[in-house]
Every structure is written in C-alpha cells, then in structure tokens.
Amino acid sequence: MHVFWLVSMVLPQAAVACGLDSASDVSGGWLTGQLTALQQHEELQLTVACVDGRRHTALCGTADGITYRILPGPGEFAPLLQELHPDLVHIWGTEYAAAAAMQQAAGALHLPVLVGIQGVMQDCAAHLCDGVPEQYCHSTPLDRAVDRLIPGALLDKLQANFDALAQSEASLLGKARFVTGRTRFDRRAVEKLSPDARYFACNETLRPLFYEGPLWQARHFGRAPVLLLSQGNYPLKNLHTVLRALPAILQRWPDAELRIAGWPPLDKGPLLRPLIARLFPYQRFCRKLAAELGVAEHIRYTGPLDAAAMRQAYLDADLFILPSLSENSPNSLGEAMLLGLPCVASRAGGIPDMMTDGREGRLYGDALDADALAQTVTEVLSAPDSGAALGRAARVRALQTHDPAVNAQALCGIYQTILQEEVR
C-alpha cells in the first residue's frame, strides 16, 4: 500500500534525507511522531512531500524506508503523482494553498484523498482577537505603508489572513470525501462544511522524546511557583488574559514567575521603539498591560525551544497553562500531560476531549475570564500535593490518547478501509 503524504512544512527527517541543514522541530511534532510509529508497518510504503518556495529545483531523499520530496511549487504535483501513482493521497492540514492544489491534482487522476483536519480555521478566525481593545486591531495607512517595507504583525492583516485561511479550509472540506479528525469539536466542523464526507477518528502521536526519560516531579516552590505558557506572540493564544490573572496569583505567591516559550517583544532601542510598537500591536498591548498591572517583572520569555528544551521547560514548571481562545487538540497540552505536569486550560474547542476537569487537570469556562483562570490556578497550586495527582492521571490519559502503536494501527486501518471502498 503506497500512501503519498502532503505536509505543510519541511520536516526534520525530510531535511536530513534531502541533504539540507536539519529543519526545526519546534512545530510539526504530530507528523514526526506518526512517521516514527508508522515505520513499524512494513506493508506501508510512504512518500512524504512538502512545498518550499525557496527551492528552485525539487529535492529527493530516502531515510528509514520513507521517501521525501521537497518541491519548489504545486506545479510539481501532477507529474509526480503520475510518476508514482500512489494508492492514496493523505493531505495533512486544510488551509494552506498547496493542499487545495494537491486535492485537485489527485482528483484529476482519480486517486482517493484523505484530508486530515488540524485546527478549525473558521473558529480560529472568529476568535483571533477576542479580548484585545479595538485600537490595537486596526492599522492606519501609515502603519500599512511601513509594514510593506518592514513586515510586522498588524492585527487587521493577521485577521484578513486567518479569514482567507478559513475560506480555503471551507473550500477544501466542501470537496472532501474522506476526512480524519480526533475531537467532537472538529467532527462538528466537518459535519457543517462537508456533510457528505466520511469521518474517521484517529488520535495524534506526539514527538518521541516525550515518551521517554524522567517525568515531572512536584517541588516545594514556596513563594515562587513557575507557570508555563507555550505560546504568547499572537492573540489567539490569549496571553492577555493570563496577564490579567497574574495579580490575583501574585497576592498568594508574590514571587511567582510566568515563563513564555518564544521570543519577547522586540526592542531595538529608543529610536526604533515607536516604529516597532506600530508594527507589532499585540506585543505593544501586552507590554502596556503588564506594566499597568505591575506584573512585568514576573514575566520571562525563554526564546524558541526545540523538543529537548521544551521538555525541560515542562519539567522545570509547577503548572502548565493553556488559555487559548480556540484549539482543536493542542500538542503542547498532550506533551505536558505525557510528562505528568499539572495543567489548567480553557474549555475552548476540543480541549475537553483531551482532559477531564477535576480528574486529569482543571478546565475553566470562558477563556477570557481572568478571575476564573486565577481561581483555578490557585486551587491547583494550593492543593496539598500541588496538583501531582492530577498530573499522574493526566499522564495515564495521554498515554492512551497518544499511544504510537495504537494510532499508527488506526491510521493504517483508515487507509485500508478507504481503498477497499474504492475497489467496490
């Protein structure tokens, strides 16, 4: 059974196989994990392709029995599919331009296509800037002129991009016959956008590093618990509500620290500070909010973290916080749970399908409710075991949800089911 994957990024395995410097493993962990697990299935032949517009010619390489193709553009799809003639095409992700091009190319050759939904872009677009004051969400003509010369992160530009991605997702799913997802949240989205499609449930396998090595251990943090946030550079991840929750947390633990994986807001000195502030309005808003709330000295950005560094960041924290405005099945939550780290998350999207409130972690209702977030964090940190029992239960749940062998077998079963239906 030959399955052709299209993915939206250059995976580390693809970079190595094609003779490039290794790609970052900061994102795409669910793809890396599933590839590793599928290598045990000898009946499966895999070709994994992606588009990298920086390339002028196609690259090809093989590693661990998997063939990788890095293509300069979607124009390569039809000839490559004609050359390889796989049994099935699996498109990972719904919103990027290459996905639609691959769906069209495969359809023209009458190849069955399985679409894997990742996030739900309509929901992401709808909630992208929730809780951010209007003045930060609209750029001026001067802002846009400067942004064309020095690209920044204007929120109206980001909103327009998310709206376009949501439209692309709707178009792709509207034509899909077979879709795979993993939560009640994404199933509802598929039922709405593609009511005639066959939906298959299959959980994600995460980065291999999170299944091995030492687990999280509770420590005596005294006045200084460490709260970890995996992302904070755009509004959907809802750093602004965490900042609003911090004062109440600091009343109980005066030396608490919020660690945020990623870069801090840019600061190139007083001369360029006004320009950067215009180009990065969300960062400007969060910086201003932190100063007004008196919490700025309690925030530390770690810089981007690869898998090993992110693993250590979880182990060094006392609590993982996921306050997102929209999520489907966030890998960061799964990784934290695998390590046994106590977690607090919003009830957004598919998060409740990953973690049961009061059993494997704590959920709070409205993602923008800073008081509820602060209260939930306080309850976990002030428990006699500092949330250790929640963390142990979280690990048990995550080992089931993200079981590599089970998920690889399920995916192979989906492939076989589709091909059997196509034969009939």
Side-chain angles (χ1 to χ4, degrees), residues 97-119:
M102 177 58 75
Q103 185 184 52
Q104 182 176 4
L109 295 173
H110 305 291
L111 297 174
V113 175
L114 174 66
V115 174
I117 191 166
Q118 292 172 185

Side-chain angles (χ1 to χ4, degrees), residues 16-190:
V16 173
C18 294
L20 304 175
D21 292 335
S22 180
S24 169
D25 68 352
V26 171
S27 61
W30 66 97
L31 298 166
T32 298
Q34 190 66 279
L35 272 179
T36 301
L38 286 173
Q39 289 172 12
Q40 307 303 315
H41 289 257
E42 296 180 357
E43 77 280 10
L44 182 64
Q45 177 187 352
L46 272 178
T47 298
V48 179
C50 68
V51 169
D52 183 353
R54 298 169 298 180
R55 306 293 159 196
H56 299 293
T57 58
L59 301 176
C60 180
T62 302
D64 298 319
I66 298 172
T67 301
Y68 296 95
R69 303 279 187 143
I70 302 176
L71 308 174
E76 306 277 338
F77 290 167
L80 185 57
L81 292 177
Q82 289 174 334
E83 173 193 341
L84 300 178
H85 203 77
D87 298 305
L88 182 144
V89 172
H90 185 171
I91 299 173
W92 291 82
T94 56
E95 69 276 8
Y96 56 110
M102 177 58 75
Q103 185 184 52
Q104 182 176 4
L109 295 173
H110 305 291
L111 297 174
V113 175
L114 174 66
V115 174
I117 191 166
Q118 292 172 185
V120 177
M121 289 308 302
Q122 283 196 344
D123 195 71
C124 291
H127 298 290
L128 176 63
C129 293
D130 286 1
V132 179
E134 282 293 313
Q135 65 263 33
Y136 295 95
C137 298
H138 302 289
S139 57
T140 67
L142 176 60
D143 296 335
R144 293 189 288 275
V146 174
D147 181 75
R148 284 192 289 270
L149 298 173
I150 309 172
L154 301 179
L155 291 184
D156 47 5
K157 181 179 73 172
L158 187 63
Q159 183 68 64
N161 181 49
F162 268 63
D163 291 341
L165 293 176
Q167 291 179 358
S168 297
E169 175 187 75
S171 176
L172 186 91
L173 287 176
K175 301 169 187 173
R177 295 175 55 212
F178 306 105
V179 179
T180 181
R182 56 210 162 271
T183 66
R184 290 171 293 177
F185 173 65
D186 69 36
R187 183 188 286 266
R188 288 193 297 269
V190 171

Side-chain angles (χ1 to χ4, degrees), residues 192-254:
K192 177 182 177 182
L193 296 171
S194 186
D196 296 327
R198 173 97 180 261
Y199 179 95
F200 297 92
C202 183
N203 285 319
E204 290 181 320
T205 296
L206 302 181
R207 293 181 282 189
L209 191 61
F210 290 88
Y211 294 87
E212 58 192 38
L215 302 178
W216 179 84
Q217 298 292 328
R219 67 189 184 98
H220 179 67
F221 50 72
R223 292 160 48 95
V226 173
L227 314 178
L228 180 65
L229 190 66
S230 63
Q231 166 69 274
N233 64 354
Y234 68 110
L236 197 68
K237 299 303 179 179
N238 202 16
L239 169 60
H240 46 289
T241 295
V242 182
L243 296 179
R244 291 185 172 116
L246 269 183
I249 295 169
L250 290 168
Q251 284 183 356
R252 181 70 179 269
W253 295 281

